[in-house]
Amino acid sequence: MADKKPVRTSSTKLGTKPEWDKLRLPETDQGTVVFNTDPLILKNHYEIDYLHSYAEDSPFFVGLSQGKLLGSECTKCHYRYATPRAYCMECGKKTRWIELPLEGKVHTWTTCYFGSEAFLKETPFNLVLVEFAGVNTLFLARLIGAKQEEMRVSMKVRAQFRRNSKFDPTDVYFVPSEPVTPREGAA
Amino acid sequence: MRPVYMISGGITKFSKANPRQSFRLMVKESFDYALRDVPKLRREMIDGSVVSYFSDHFTRQLMAGIMATDFLGLCPRPNKRIEGGGATGGLCFQAAWEAVASGRMDVCVAYGFETMSHVNTWKGNEFIALASDTNFDYPVGGFYSGYYAMMVVRHMYEFGTTVEQLAMVSVKNHKNALHNVWAQKHLDLTIEDVRNSPMVAYPLTMLDICTMSDGAACCILASEKVAEKVCPHPVKITGIGTGTDAMRMSDRPHGEVLLLKHEDPSWYKNLKYPGVHSFRAGRNAARLAYEHAGIQNPIEDLDFIELHDAYTSSEIQTYEDLGLCRYGEGGKFIETGASALDGKLPVNPSGGLIACGHPVGATGLMQAVFAFWQLQGSIAKHNNGDGKIQVKPKKKSRPMRGLIHSHAGTGTYVTVSIMERTSK
């Protein structure tokens, strides 16, 4: 642009900065945690809050807050699910909500001595898959009230509910509904 | 569909942490290894590629696949990401097979990676557990070792499997890996060592469970025309099978066994199947792959197997799914030494995931690379001259044959692929 006049820069007097040197990002005291420089390894934080919807499974979680354990039954083939699902895996038809019995049996179990970071502080804890009479599938839950060496398949268990609901599946947990004794051969 | 051959493979040495290489550089290292092994293949002959990695959480980089692809200089040729949990690598291998079998490509490269060292072990376990139902399973105590522990507790209840039999798998696979320079762990163990290591989830101890790894692997698949031209000892892929099952273990049916050709329904009259003790997806993958490859009885018709032993228990469960023994006899199968290096059918001569490591997206491809070298008879060449784990062909009446098995979740996606030595 031939007609453009030269930009008048600020005074070049000693001790004053040119315009280009006045453009600076504001500095903060937010540093970076560095673990290593060869190769350069640093801490990188990440977190997020979701607006998580239980959608078609919502009644199950609301049910837990009312002391009810809801499963599903296929309206066509009558397959019964202990963990709810809106449509039948066997025939594809819609299911209806059913109330499960609160008494069941341990189908299988484990005691976790380590875990994901989120649950590490809760170790050791027992996980059980619970079977209910007349229901085709199982339900995953925690079990309290028995030590590892007292856990066994077929143990009779009963559902308990949190008083202050978290609206997650831990609102229900199971406890032994028969006396616990050391398992045969348990170390 | 056209016949498909594997013409080369490469892996990086898996390690607990490899902070000096990004996933791209690891993929490049495995790709360059594969290219060096088949010098007659020119880069311009590559029609496209498929890439596999499991977790966006570990990578913290969406579309990491294209970054590996551009790093290799394979743009603008076709590429896509394949993902299916622990079976990611096996699914990627089969996707490359599909690309060549369909005639879409003459040469397709499959590469995969995982960088699991970028978070601590317990955070890593959390990421892996996010591959379980996050409404119903994860919040209860999401931990895959816990899920597998529950499966084997039921296996022990149904069939009398023992913790010592589980430990034997760890001992065997670690011993094999003593002769595999690529393995992450080189441990000479006893059953007592395995049982005395820290309990993770009863009855599984630390030495019953694979560790997390950084690493990459690469397989080059080609049509017959190209394979004949560039590769002196191509390996033919003769069987492809895949199976699936419900994400939640609790949803597994308790019905009838999916039978293989050599099995008799009277064997399983009182068995509720798959329940949580068996993997219906693995059985279905085996059934389809055997049908495709014309396998009548796997114990006779196979020379070795590389299978997904993320847990010692899952190796025992998988013996049964693959029909190496009847359902319920997996424990006895290891005890009799049938799956040892010098046994009737060596399983995991490489050392498996337990010793070699499990950088998820690379794992299924690593198995293919080891199987490829076995079938070429080139183990020693790729293993610093040590040929101890080289398996010899069992029969002269048929080509030497290997099986690779890749497995996700609590048995949600499973792939079985059969590979054969070519007569040349």
Side-chain angles (χ1 to χ4, degrees):
Chain A
M1 289 185 286
D3 61 343
K4 193 175 177 189
K5 289 177 184 157
V7 177
R8 187 186 162 84
T9 57
S10 60
S11 159
T12 52
K13 274 190 292 183
L14 207 65
T16 58
K17 288 180 173 178
E19 285 292 335
W20 60 262
D21 202 19
K22 287 183 182 168
L23 293 169
R24 291 293 176 95
L25 274 178
E27 296 292 337
T28 73
D29 58 2
Q30 302 299 303
T32 296
V33 176
V34 173
F35 299 111
N36 212 320
T37 55
D38 181 25
L40 183 57
I41 301 175
L42 43 87
K43 186 171 178 169
N44 207 334
H45 185 70
Y46 181 55
E47 68 175 63
I48 191 157
D49 287 319
Y50 285 90
L51 300 175
H52 183 74
S53 171
Y54 283 124
E56 68 277 9
D57 293 330
S58 299
F60 169 81
F61 295 94
V62 174
L64 294 183
S65 71
Q66 297 162 351
K68 279 190 245 170
L69 200 49
L70 296 180
S72 307
E73 180 179 328
C74 178
T75 51
K76 182 170 176 246
C77 74
H78 302 289
Y79 201 89
R80 287 158 75 91
Y81 297 92
T83 313
R85 52 173 59 236
Y87 286 85
C88 180
M89 261 202 312
E90 298 293 312
C91 75
K93 288 291 181 292
K94 198 159 178 35
T95 59
R96 65 181 185 91
W97 291 100
I98 53 170
E99 210 171 316
L100 297 176
L102 299 182
E103 295 260 4
K105 283 197 308 185
V106 170
H107 183 78
T108 190
W109 63 273
T110 186
T111 305
C112 295
Y113 295 88
F114 291 91
S116 299
E117 193 172 81
F119 309 110
L120 208 49
K121 60 184 182 301
E122 298 165 22
T123 57
F125 57 81
N126 301 317
L127 294 177
V128 287
L129 284 171
V130 182
E131 56 183 50
F132 301 96
V135 181
N136 298 86
T137 68
L138 307 168
F139 184 78
L140 174 70
R142 294 266 186 112
L143 181 137
I144 61 167
K147 298 196 212 69
Q148 188 253 96
E149 54 274 19
E150 295 162 339
M151 295 292 294
R152 59 180 177 82
V153 171
S154 292
M155 181 195 279
K156 286 184 186 152
V157 293
R158 185 176 175 82
Q160 297 276 22
F161 297 88
R162 276 189 213 275
R163 199 173 55 220
N164 297 331
S165 302
K166 291 179 187 292
F167 294 94
D168 74 22
T170 65
D171 283 350
V172 63
Y173 53 97
F174 284 79
V175 297
S177 61
E178 60 177 321
V180 292
T181 49
R183 186 174 68 250
E184 203 181 322
Chain B
M1 273 184 286
R2 312 190 290 172
V4 181
Y5 295 79
M6 181 162 169
I7 58 169
S8 193
I11 43 179
T12 64
K13 185 167 160 62
F14 296 167
S15 58
K16 180 83 185 157
N18 181 6
R20 293 197 173 273
Q21 290 184 317
S22 73
F23 64 91
R24 295 171 293 182
L25 189 52
M26 284 192 278
V27 169
K28 169 88 172 144
E29 192 181 304
S30 68
F31 177 62
D32 286 348
Y33 190 100
L35 283 182
R36 278 197 302 278
D37 201 39
V38 61
K40 283 188 188 160
L41 180 80
R42 285 170 287 111
R43 290 171 62 97
E44 55 271 27
M45 292 165 76
I46 297 169
D47 296 306
S49 57
V50 280
V51 57
S52 62
Y53 59 101
F54 155 58
S55 175
D56 294 314
H57 292 79
F58 280 116
T59 320
R60 235 200 112 181
Q61 169 65 65
L62 302 190
M63 284 174 52
I66 193 60
M67 294 171 76
T69 304
D70 74 36
F71 203 75
L72 299 186
L74 292 178
C75 296
R77 287 166 265 192
N79 175 267
K80 65 183 165 195
R81 176 196 180 178
I82 306 292
E83 192 276 313
T88 290
L91 289 164
C92 183
F93 182 80
Q94 296 194 341
W97 175 86
E98 285 157 9
V100 178
S102 65
R104 186 183 182 199
M105 298 185 198
D106 273 318
V107 179
C108 182
V109 188
Y111 38 89
F113 64 86
E114 211 74 46
T115 46
M116 306 177 81
S117 68
H118 295 195
V119 291
N120 72 53
T121 296
W122 306 115
K123 193 54 143 181
N125 272 286
E126 201 174 298
F127 286 176
I128 294 167
L130 290 172
S132 60
D133 188 317
T134 54
N135 281 356
F136 288 95
D137 290 349
Y138 173 80
V140 181
F143 185 36
Y144 257 93
S145 297
Y147 303 156
Y148 273 79
M150 283 191 283
M151 287 190 275
V152 73
V153 163
R154 188 68 197 189
H155 198 277
M156 291 161 74
Y157 174 82
E158 291 276 351
F159 307 125
T161 310
T162 66
V163 293
E164 288 76 22
Q165 288 167 339
L166 304 183
M168 284 173 198
V169 172
S170 180
V171 172
K172 166 182 74 77
N173 292 354
H174 279 105
K175 272 202 204 308
N176 291 348
L178 290 173
H179 293 276
N180 182 357
V181 293
W182 299 96
Q184 184 172 327
K185 295 202 283 178
H186 293 105
L187 296 172
D188 196 359
L189 300 171
T190 63
I191 291 173
E192 293 69 42
D193 292 334
V194 179
R195 288 318 299 165
N196 292 335
S197 77
M199 188 63 75
V200 176
Y202 180 88
L204 299 171
T205 71
M206 278 198 180
L207 288 171
D208 280 308
I209 304 172
C210 68
T211 53
M212 294 189 208
S213 316
D214 286 355
C218 174
C219 299
I220 307 180
L221 273 53
S223 63
E224 192 160 271
K225 194 178 66 185
V226 174
E228 278 176 353
K229 203 159 90 179
V230 303
C231 183
H233 302 290
V235 163
K236 193 172 180 180
I237 300 159
T238 55
I240 291 286
T242 314
T244 57
D245 216 330
M247 176 65 127
R248 301 192 292 242
M249 262 202 305
S250 55
D251 287 345
R252 304 287 163 80
H254 295 74
E256 282 177 18
V257 176
L258 211 55
L259 293 175
L260 294 176
K261 274 196 180 125
H262 69 282
E263 289 185 319
D264 190 312
S266 70
W267 296 356
Y268 303 128
K269 262 188 285 193
N270 299 316
L271 184 63
K272 299 275 181 233
Y273 181 87
V276 297
H277 50 73
S278 299
F279 302 119
R280 187 171 55 156
R283 173 48 68 97
N284 198 54
R287 198 174 59 82
L288 292 172
Y290 293 166
E291 215 166 277
H292 187 187
I295 288 174
Q296 299 298 321
N297 186 353
I299 191 87
E300 299 297 334
D301 298 348
L302 294 167
D303 293 283
F304 70 91
I305 289 173
E306 288 287 343
L307 66 77
H308 193 97
D309 58 329
Y311 300 90
T312 54
S313 50
S314 53
E315 175 159 328
I316 285 178
Q317 291 165 290
T318 299
Y319 293 156
E320 301 169 1
D321 300 324
L322 297 179
L324 312 184
C325 56
R326 293 183 190 187
Y327 273 113
E329 294 181 353
K332 276 187 213 128
F333 192 77
I334 178 77
E335 205 168 86
T336 58
S339 54
L341 198 53
D342 59 356
K344 190 164 171 61
L345 179 53
V347 175
N348 286 327
S350 69
L353 281 55
I354 272 197
C356 291
H358 183 19
V360 186
T363 303
L365 296 167
M366 162 197 81
Q367 294 172 320
V369 173
F370 286 138
F372 175 73
W373 291 341
Q374 286 284 6
L375 291 163
Q376 278 196 323
S378 64
I379 287 282
K381 173 186 161 192
H382 295 285
N383 194 35
N384 269 353
D386 186 345
K388 166 96 173 152
I389 58 170
Q390 175 70 56
V391 174
K392 309 271 186 305
K394 209 149 63 177
K395 291 179 179 172
K396 288 212 172 94
S397 56
R398 58 160 175 84
M400 182 182 179
R401 203 184 264 143
L403 179 154
I404 54 173
H405 162 274
S406 192
H407 172 117
T410 52
T412 47
Y413 289 110
V414 181
T415 66
V416 168
S417 306
I418 312 287
M419 300 162 73
E420 287 179 15
R421 177 180 281 187
T422 50
S423 44
K424 277 171 278 183

